[in-house]
Amino acid sequence: MTDPRARRIVRPDAVLRGDESGAGPTVLLLHAGGERRRVWTPVIDVLTGAGLRCVAFDQRGHGDSGGFPRALAPYAGDVAAMLHAEPPGCVVVGASLGGLAAVAALEDPAVRTRLAGLVLVDVVPDLEPRRVRGFLAAGGLLGTHTELVDDILGQVPRLRHNLAGLDLPVLLVRGGDGSAVTGEDVDKLLRLAPQATVIRISGAGHLVARDQPAALAEAIATVTAEWPALALLRDLGAGQVAHPGGNLLDHLQRVCELVESWGGGRRVRLAALCHAAYGTDGFPHALLPRGRRGRLQAAIGDEAESLVYLYDACDRSTTYTRLGASPLPLTDRFTGEVIALADADLTDFALLTIANELDVARNAALTPEARRDIRALVAVLAAYVPDVAALALADPSLV
């Protein structure tokens, strides 16, 4: 693991031991039955490199953790305890037993509020008993933890109910040959959770983290990148704030999509999604006070949050008169400080500004003069991002 730090959670009947690595939005990793947390090591190396914070425990009865693997409910209680020990907005990744424990934990509304989304790794809640026992028998595991297997199979109706009531994004990562998940299983999952995304990783069997860790990590990092930010925005009420073209959440998502379509990297995409968090010089409604920057940092990482702060702090009346300069002297309207923007900060700031203004031009009832002002602003920003500015200036809303 990258820079592991020991973790410990005391439960009424067990002590759970684990590690955390990295910094940024949190991913909680729950291993399969018979495994231990070290199976995630190569996955964690990729995820921490992508700017994520990873937490992995040995589940009860496994590795360094105590307790007994007899029923699903204690595992679900352990997942709840893990989530309550983390900042809100975790992405939970559960493989096999770990995925079932996560789904079982969702029965508690307090647990659901802690999640940004759920990744199921080669497991679905709608288990067919005969096929499950056949799969275990083929692997020589049918006689292992029979009590736990019987209990899990008896919980299927509750597991189905928990997932069906989940108003959060879901990703199912299937293995290839040797996967325990069939096409019929996928169809059933999509009926329970129509919002789910399904990815299949060739060259992997049931234990995807062992067989194709890099591909699994890439799927997690790519699909779930925006989940913590979206969870935070919904919690802060962005969907209830009026904004041209719908509400503020709609606007933020459209700006993020524009940035992505122009090839913006992870940092600027996440900043685009949260770019009005502290209010801007043109839209003063703040979702978060600046004294709680840590909450946004936990959702999108320090680098993206720093770009959000720069964008929101920009005093446009002074800064915009200096556009074209490099570095760009940006006046912080909160503190009065002048910040020299250069390199990636300047490019990302210009890209984000153009995307925001173009979405306003497309969706707001503007006067001809206001449209001309936006066009003039984009033309000056072409000094920093010429290709993007050219695309924006060709948009019908600015022609």
Side-chain angles (χ1 to χ4, degrees):
M1 287 187 186
T2 304
D3 186 28
R5 301 175 290 278
R7 294 290 302 276
R8 178 173 175 268
I9 293 178
V10 179
R11 301 282 292 137
D13 58 346
V15 175
L16 308 177
R17 300 187 184 277
D19 299 288
E20 66 171 280
S21 302
T26 300
V27 179
L28 175 63
L29 298 152
L30 306 170
H31 64 73
E35 296 282 1
R36 54 192 303 177
R37 69 184 186 273
R38 66 187 179 196
V39 74
W40 295 115
T41 299
V43 175
I44 288 171
D45 287 341
V46 175
L47 293 179
T48 54
L52 297 169
R53 173 176 171 267
C54 296
V55 178
F57 284 87
D58 286 335
Q59 295 203 68
R60 63 172 49 233
H62 295 74
D64 298 325
S65 293
F68 300 96
R70 293 173 179 164
L72 188 58
Y75 284 98
D78 294 344
V79 172
M82 294 173 195
L83 284 168
H84 284 296
E86 302 301 330
C90 288
V91 171
V92 176
V93 179
S96 197
L97 172 62
L100 296 173
V103 175
L106 295 173
E107 189 164 347
D108 182 354
V111 170
R112 291 198 294 273
T113 64
R114 311 293 296 182
L115 265 71
L118 175 65
V119 180
L120 297 173
V121 182
D122 212 62
V123 67
V124 292
D126 211 343
L127 303 170
E128 201 283 311
R130 184 171 60 180
R131 190 152 51 82
V132 169
R133 291 193 170 97
F135 183 84
L136 293 174
L141 301 172
L142 186 58
T144 304
H145 302 308
T146 303
E147 188 177 358
L148 175 61
V149 172
D150 289 344
D151 180 74
I152 290 174
L153 292 174
Q155 300 293 324
V156 166
R158 297 177 71 177
L159 296 174
R160 294 180 76 256
H161 177 267
N162 292 351
L163 194 63
L166 187 64
D167 186 23
L168 289 171
V170 176
L171 169 64
L172 170 63
V173 181
R174 298 175 63 189
D177 294 339
S179 168
V181 177
T182 68
E184 182 181 356
D185 291 331
V186 172
D187 292 340
K188 290 180 179 179
L189 176 75
L190 291 174
R191 286 196 290 272
L192 286 174
Q195 77 276 25
T197 300
V198 181
I199 291 177
R200 190 159 198 176
I201 295 181
S202 61
H206 179 54
L207 299 176
V208 184
R210 278 188 178 273
D211 298 337
Q212 294 289 343
L216 174 58
E218 180 64 23
I220 293 168
T222 301
V223 176
T224 72
E226 298 171 5
W227 289 5
L230 288 169
L232 176 60
L233 291 169
R234 292 189 182 102
D235 185 54
L236 295 175
Q240 284 71 56
V241 178
H243 195 281
N247 56 58
L248 180 57
L249 182 57
D250 295 333
H251 166 68
L252 296 171
Q253 290 180 287
R254 290 195 304 265
V255 173
C256 179
E257 289 165 4
L258 263 177
V259 166
E260 183 174 13
S261 73
W262 293 336
R266 176 187 175 92
R267 180 208 188 193
V268 69
R269 293 199 310 271
L270 291 175
L273 187 58
C274 300
H275 71 266
Y278 308 123
T280 72
D281 207 0
F283 188 79
H285 184 102
L287 297 173
L288 267 178
R290 286 175 288 118
R292 300 187 66 189
R293 291 179 65 179
R295 193 169 179 195
L296 184 57
Q297 289 165 344
I300 64 175
D302 292 354
E303 290 189 0
E305 189 277 337
S306 69
L307 180 57
V308 172
Y309 179 86
L310 287 170
Y311 184 80
D312 291 358
C314 175
D315 183 327
R316 297 180 181 181
S317 64
T318 56
T319 303
Y320 282 10
T321 63
R322 302 162 179 164
L323 288 174
S326 184
L328 171 66
L330 181 148
T331 300
D332 185 326
R333 66 190 180 95
F334 301 132
T335 67
E337 178 186 4
V338 177
I339 303 165
L341 288 193
D343 302 323
D345 282 344
L346 182 51
T347 300
D348 288 348
F349 176 84
L351 180 62
L352 176 52
T353 301
I354 293 174
N356 176 72
E357 298 297 332
L358 182 57
D359 185 72
V360 171
R362 286 175 172 179
N363 292 281
L366 301 176
T367 65
E369 181 182 11
R371 290 188 189 279
R372 285 194 297 270
D373 288 346
I374 291 176
R375 183 175 178 83
L377 174 61
V378 173
V380 178
L381 289 166
Y384 311 119
V385 283
D387 293 342
V388 168
L391 291 172
L393 290 170
D395 192 86
S397 67
L398 292 181
V399 172

